Amino acid sequence: MVFWEEEIETLPRTGIRGLQVSRMKAAINQARKAPFYQQLYEELDITPEKFNKVEDIRDFPFTTKEDLRTNFPYGFLAVDRKNVVRLHSSSGTTGNPTVVFHTRDDLDNWANLIARNLFMVGVRDTDVFQNICGYGLFTGGLGFQYGAEKLGALTVPAGAGNTKRQIKLICDYGTSAIHTIPSYVMRLVSEMESMGVSPRDTALRVMVIGAEPHTEEQRQRVEQSIGIKAFNSYGLSEMCGPGVAFECEYQSGLHIWEDSFLVEIIDPDTLQPVPEGETGELVLTTLNRQANPLIRYRTRDLTRAVPGDCRCGRTHMLLDRIHGRTDDMFIIRGCNVFPMQVEKVLLQFPEVDSHYVIHLETNEGVDQMIIDVEIKSDWFTDNYASLEHLQKRIARDVRDEVLVTPIVRLVEAGSMPASGGKAVRVVDNRESGRGN
Ligand code: AMP
Ligand code: ZN
């Protein structure tokens, strides 16, 4: 078995907890240098002396995305501005965006985490690693770029989109590893097919997919379409970006790196820890970030701790794939629905391609869920009766899952516009807004 950093990756649990306590004391001191925490912790008399065991974190207040927005842009900055070498920021189409700053050490630690993850799934310095995602303010581009370079791979900064060019790069340079968002893989594969390139004839041997929610069904489709394994990569800009948690070769959960993050899973209503193994909101604390430390940050992502030890020998906690976010659940006609529940049903139909959008609309005062879904070209016949039959079966299975009967509209594969970035799964145009 091979590790990037064996000692830290296989540290016994007691060692992890000890490391967390000592790093947490330093993190509290560091956080107190940021205007937001300085004021808050002075008011509440919070000092590093108050933190002596991991559970003491429960006495600390939470930090929310709203706090980041309200204190935009420098309220969370904990170092002198001359020591900041980069920022990343979320798009923020409404109100203030959120911004995260990095010192040189922050960037080094982040690159090291990505290298650790890539090594874990078998990427080596002999690989050609093509990074198919947006560069710029989005963290997936530069994050993976520097991580793969640190590992020593020949890194191709391909960026997002321009599928034909992506395929040419894969063929020209013998790309053996790629990173991209899951909703893009099927576009890549169908373009390969139309160009007469068989994915199995390329040098591709490992794939990393992340940055957006996806189901196990989607992963399996992606894996089968190229004939290689696809590993789930999770992260968020506020913690650094990708690299926070990653699947190992066993794909039975994502190891979240507890030398860098203190992990809690809470009930988003009561704000208390959930019983072990139950689903709740992931709350993370940065343990070694200098420029932008965050303590008890509510990620809004829903997951659960996977119990038991991992066969790979790594001791860091396993998280289940992200089921969704507290804020992407919508309520329609009194039923709570997560987009991933709908995806799971859709992808059980072999006729269904991987693109879909859920539209929420109000028609004559009644809220409706309309699902536009792409059907693979070879199934998309002009036999109206068979399409109608398929439509009904999909509607029925979605209703059984979410208790609301949708209107299903079938469209031919390739006819829905590709966004180029993270897929938009829900468009809510209801008169009542989000229905809650
Ligand atoms: P951003 O910081 O804008 O890149 O967005 C981070 C968010 O993307 C996370 O909080 C998650 O909601 C989502 N995300 C990132 N990676 C994954 C993943 N592997 N599975 C599901 N959701 C993810
Ligand atoms: Zn493992």
Side-chain angles (χ1 to χ4, degrees), residues 4 6-7 79 82 103 137 152 174 191 201 204 211 250 257 301 334 340 351 366 384 431 435-436:
W4 179 249
E6 179 160 4
E7 196 184 331
V79 296
K82 79 173 185 341
T103 64
L137 292 174
E191 188 68 46
D201 292 340
L204 290 175
Y250 294 103
W257 298 114
D301 291 324
M340 285 305 106
E351 298 91 337
V366 181
Y384 183 73
E431 287 160 9
N436 46 25

Side-chain angles (χ1 to χ4, degrees), residues 316-342:
H316 296 243
M317 184 196 282
L318 280 177
L319 294 182
D320 205 354
R321 70 170 56 251
I322 305 294
H323 308 310
R325 293 172 54 84
T326 52
D327 51 2
D328 71 12
M329 183 192 83
F330 56 87
I331 302 176
I332 179 153
R333 290 190 238 141
C335 299
N336 297 357
V337 180
F338 284 99
M340 285 305 106
Q341 289 177 287
V342 175

Side-chain angles (χ1 to χ4, degrees), residues 65 89-91 98 100 137-140 182 209-215 231-242 245-246 254 282 297-302 320-328 340 422:
K65 201 171 186 93
S89 162
S90 70
S91 55
T98 49
V100 178
L137 292 174
F138 173 56
T139 51
I209 52 173
E212 62 182 12
H214 55 287
T215 53
F231 296 95
N232 191 348
S233 147
Y234 167 78
L236 62 163
S237 314
E238 295 91 321
M239 291 297 116
C240 58
F246 223 85
L254 295 88
L282 184 66
Y297 182 68
R298 292 188 59 181
T299 65
R300 306 186 193 181
D301 291 324
L302 295 168
D320 205 354
R321 70 170 56 251
I322 305 294
H323 308 310
R325 293 172 54 84
T326 52
D327 51 2
D328 71 12
M340 285 305 106
K422 300 190 187 202

